[in-house]
Amino acid sequence: MAPVFDTFDDDIEELAERAASPDPGIRRVAMMELAEAVGAKAKVLLLKGLADDDATVRAAAAKALDEHDGADVVEGLVRSLEDADDDVRRVAAETLSEKKEPTCGPLLIERAEHADPFVQAAALRALRELVIPDALSAALKALQSPAPEVRREGLGVIGYLKAEEALPALLATARDGDATVRRATMAALVFLRSGGPGVATLLAGLQDENWQVREEAAVSIAKSRLPEAVEPLIAAMADPVWQVKTKAANALGRIKSTAAIDVLGRALDSEVSNLRKESAAALGEIAHPQALSFLERASDDPDPDVRKLIRWAIGRCRSEV
């Protein structure tokens, strides 16, 4: 019986032959199948595929490299960000954003100041989860870019770094004319502390004209557990958009605000099951006997997930009696 590794080697050799075919369609399929292969040989073939004459082959190679790691992979994908074909650039950016190779930080920081906004944004997106302090300077420069996608990705880097020294710049982008940038600002303000500078800006986000900005502000408030946010969050429970109300309910639960029991209890009558679910969970987190009348009245909710949370919340509240 032949060793299993011989079969793997045979498969790679066959794929290598197909990757060298004069037919770009065959080469493209070979790139796709190499995503399932393991080892250095497969990675080398895919890296070669990034330089193929045919754009569809290059795009397939960039996508397949999602399954392979290493500094050489990141370097190859970074070069592909400058490909002449838009689809190759897009796929390379998507794949690159999933990589976490700290050793490639300097290469990405360099591209974060590229003349092409697409390359800048892609490099910043890849830098975000690396959490490299040296990336802060490039991220701050990105906030001055005329391209909103670059400003947005720069804010993503700052948010992951939780860089308090960037607060003055964040307060400025909170007034940005682009809603996606304001939303990214709300996410980046997650490091704020109660009573500290910038809290008023985050709270003001709950009243932004764009509902996704309001929603993101509530998410960051929940993570920061800011007690001064209770009244603005209670007001946000009357927001016309249920997604905002749901995140506000979650934040009130995390803050454990007894002042919010009434508004959360009334939310158990909402037509939106997600809001009822989050409100029940928040009442359970607050765990105060005052919430029992609301929870018991809603104990026959038609949604099984809501009923489960209500039972849990009732148990929590009764334990405090």
Side-chain angles (χ1 to χ4, degrees), residues 92-120:
E94 290 175 357
T95 302
L96 186 62
S97 68
E98 300 297 323
K99 302 301 177 188
K100 297 179 182 179
E101 294 287 346
T103 57
C104 290
L107 180 67
L108 292 168
I109 290 171
E110 179 184 346
R111 291 303 196 284
E113 298 186 33
H114 197 277
D116 185 337
F118 179 90
V119 177
Q120 277 186 284

Side-chain angles (χ1 to χ4, degrees), residues 171-188:
L171 298 183
T173 56
R175 301 186 298 273
D176 197 280
D178 187 279
T180 65
V181 176
R182 297 198 304 276
R183 182 183 184 185
T185 301
M186 295 300 112

Side-chain angles (χ1 to χ4, degrees), residues 125-139:
R125 186 160 61 251
L127 275 169
R128 184 175 56 198
E129 294 190 30
L130 295 184
V131 195
I132 300 174
D134 288 345
L136 180 58
S137 177

